[in-house]
Amino acid sequence: MILVTGGCGYIGSHTCLALLRAGEEVAALDNYSNSKPEALVRVQKLANRPFPFEEADLRDETALRRVFEQHQIHAVIHFAGLKAVGESVQKPLEYYDNNVAGTVTLCRVMRDFGCKRMVFSSSATVYGSGNPSPLTEDMPTGQVTNPYGRTKYMLEEILKDICAADPEFSAVLLRYFNPVGADESGQIGEDPRDIPNNLMPYISQVAVGRLSRLAVFGNDYDTPDGTGIRDYIHVSDLASGHVKAVEYANRQTGARIINLGTGRGTSVLELVAAFERANGVKVPYAISPRRPGDVDVCYANADKARRILGWTAQMSVDDMCRDSWHWQSQNPEGYR
Ligand code: NAD
Ligand code: UD1
């Protein structure tokens, strides 16, 4: 059985669905600090298969042990963590405690139960601002500018150390680019608690009338239209990447770092135009000052994922816009 920590969250819920559809046995664990159990109720309906999900906090070792005692877990896909960059600057201790200490506790329990396979959610943020795109996995990391990014960098290093100490341990460290979109059913999707920080949920909430207009953070970057370029990847493609990654973790040992991106960059204004075109809606926007900490261009070299996992992203930017809108327009208040 595969344990999915943070399984109720945005990427976790889509990955549970992909695993169930691939015929895997799945258990999910979440403390619901940034999600609602309704997401997993919907995943069960979509997959037409019940599966166990437990309310537990990563840092609660007793609760974790109970989960490992109840289920025969051979691999963990580890999404659970806090992810808001700005909040991490205000609350560094919460981020180090939740993300770093929580993962250390999880690894200790895995060791005690002889579970030696992990797929970990890292982020393209570990590349910092010093590396040119397309970003390759062998580029230097560690020059991150905020506590959230530092937790990802530290956890990559910790997992490499665990692999070095135990030759049977297998860790696949996935560096995600910018996950967007939703399952094509429109039943599950991204449900930010407050005003969104990220571009696609902001655009969707403007389009649905929850927010009045998008602030485009800077049009004086060194890019063709002056706005920032990112590698947006459909969350269902990302989820299928995890199905491949956990299969790969079963076949190999040691630490492997793999980008999950499309290898293509899209600017803010291109994404707005694609969203309007794909959905026949208007997205009013105004140019605002740059957001501190943003880089001009960030996209993946996606060759390693193709070579090692046999995985490439299939869905276009228009698919991402259509599915984000499908979710948002059917669920204007998210899971509430
Ligand atoms: P999310 O917030 O939707 O999901 C994370 C889930 O983990 C939530 O359901 C939350 O309730 C749960 N959680 C948090 N702390 C926990 C704890 N201590 N114990 C148990 N559960 C806990 O976020 P997401 O977008 O699905 O991201 C999943 C992972 O991928 C995170 O680790 C995130 O840092 C990483 N990541 C996300 C992005 C992105 O843009 N979404 C990009 C790069 C990396
Ligand atoms: C951000 C985080 C990154 C994290 C990622 C996924 C920062 C500095 N970086 O990445 O660490 O891994 O989210 O959670 O927060 N934009 C606007 N208006 C908006 C929102 C965004 O113009 O209201 C622009 C940004 O300037 C950027 C692009 O849209 O050019 C994408 O922004 P966003 O979705 O926040 O992702 P990242 O900045 O790439």
Side-chain angles (χ1 to χ4, degrees):
M1 179 171 263
I2 299 167
L3 176 67
V4 183
T5 76
C8 193
Y10 172 46
I11 308 171
S13 56
H14 287 82
T15 301
C16 286
L17 181 58
L19 290 166
L20 291 165
R21 283 177 172 160
E24 299 282 2
E25 294 298 322
V26 177
L29 169 162
D30 207 295
N31 67 357
Y32 306 127
S33 59
N34 196 37
S35 55
K36 303 227 164 43
E38 172 65 15
L40 290 178
V41 172
R42 294 188 187 186
V43 168
Q44 291 192 333
K45 282 194 195 134
L46 288 168
N48 203 14
R49 255 179 83 190
F51 67 100
F53 46 98
E54 318 277 351
E55 179 167 0
D57 191 294
L58 270 190
R59 293 159 297 179
D60 180 348
E61 190 160 337
T62 311
L64 274 190
R65 285 184 186 282
R66 208 175 311 122
V67 172
F68 277 78
E69 275 157 12
Q70 279 167 358
H71 307 288
Q72 285 275 325
I73 294 162
H74 76 274
V76 177
I77 304 184
H78 177 33
F79 293 105
L82 302 176
K83 63 162 184 177
V85 172
E87 185 186 61
S88 79
V89 177
Q90 307 302 322
K91 300 180 177 175
L93 283 178
E94 278 82 348
Y95 274 68
Y96 291 119
D97 184 40
N98 202 86
N99 293 7
V100 182
T103 304
V104 170
T105 305
L106 171 66
C107 290
R108 193 161 50 232
V109 174
M110 286 175 67
R111 182 189 61 194
D112 292 353
F113 282 82
C115 177
K116 299 189 177 204
R117 308 269 170 268
M118 179 184 279
V119 175
F120 172 65
S121 303
S122 188
S123 166
T125 197
V126 300
Y127 290 113
S129 56
N131 293 303
S133 290
L135 296 158
T136 53
E137 290 85 349
D138 54 1
M139 286 176 170
T141 55
Q143 295 303 314
V144 274
T145 51
N146 58 75
Y148 164 72
R150 252 186 297 279
T151 68
K152 293 298 178 192
Y153 170 72
M154 288 175 179
L155 287 167
E156 285 195 358
E157 298 302 306
I158 289 170
L159 289 165
K160 286 187 213 164
D161 288 341
I162 293 174
C163 289
D166 180 352
E168 291 176 1
F169 202 93
S170 170
V172 182
L173 314 178
L174 298 176
R175 292 182 179 156
Y176 311 153
F177 282 71
N178 290 61
V180 296
D183 183 65
E184 63 173 2
S185 65
Q187 286 293 300
I188 57 172
E190 187 170 13
D191 182 19
R193 230 179 337 164
D194 307 311
I195 295 176
N197 295 310
N198 297 119
L199 181 59
M200 185 67 103
Y202 206 104
I203 289 178
S204 311
Q205 292 197 12
V206 169
V208 85
R210 255 171 91 172
L211 297 166
S212 59
R213 68 178 175 183
L214 171 73
V216 174
F217 297 147
N219 67 348
D220 56 354
Y221 284 105
D222 186 16
T223 61
D225 67 18
T227 64
I229 289 181
R230 296 291 182 275
D231 186 340
Y232 299 96
I233 173 169
H234 196 293
V235 68
S236 300
D237 274 334
L238 199 63
S240 71
H242 287 75
V243 177
K244 296 279 191 187
V246 77
E247 287 166 8
Y248 179 67
N250 287 331
R251 298 197 298 271
Q252 64 101 41
T253 55
R256 295 285 193 289
I257 298 171
I258 303 175
N259 287 339
L260 290 185
T262 66
R264 290 182 298 277
T266 303
S267 76
V268 176
L269 292 181
E270 283 172 338
L271 194 68
V272 169
F275 194 95
E276 292 184 330
R277 185 176 62 235
N279 300 314
V281 292
K282 288 307 280 178
V283 180
Y285 68 84
I287 306 296
S288 298
R290 290 181 177 201
R291 179 172 66 180
D294 276 356
V295 296
D296 51 0
V297 179
C298 173
Y299 61 91
N301 175 313
D303 291 349
K304 192 171 176 186
R306 191 185 58 231
R307 208 172 55 246
I308 291 195
L309 302 179
W311 170 93
T312 44
Q314 302 294 317
M315 296 168 92
S316 68
V317 168
D318 282 25
D319 295 331
M320 303 176 205
C321 291
R322 182 201 61 218
D323 291 338
S324 291
W325 177 238
H326 199 194
W327 152 254
Q328 184 71 62
S329 54
Q330 285 187 50
N331 302 271
E333 301 296 324
Y335 291 111
R336 278 165 287 283

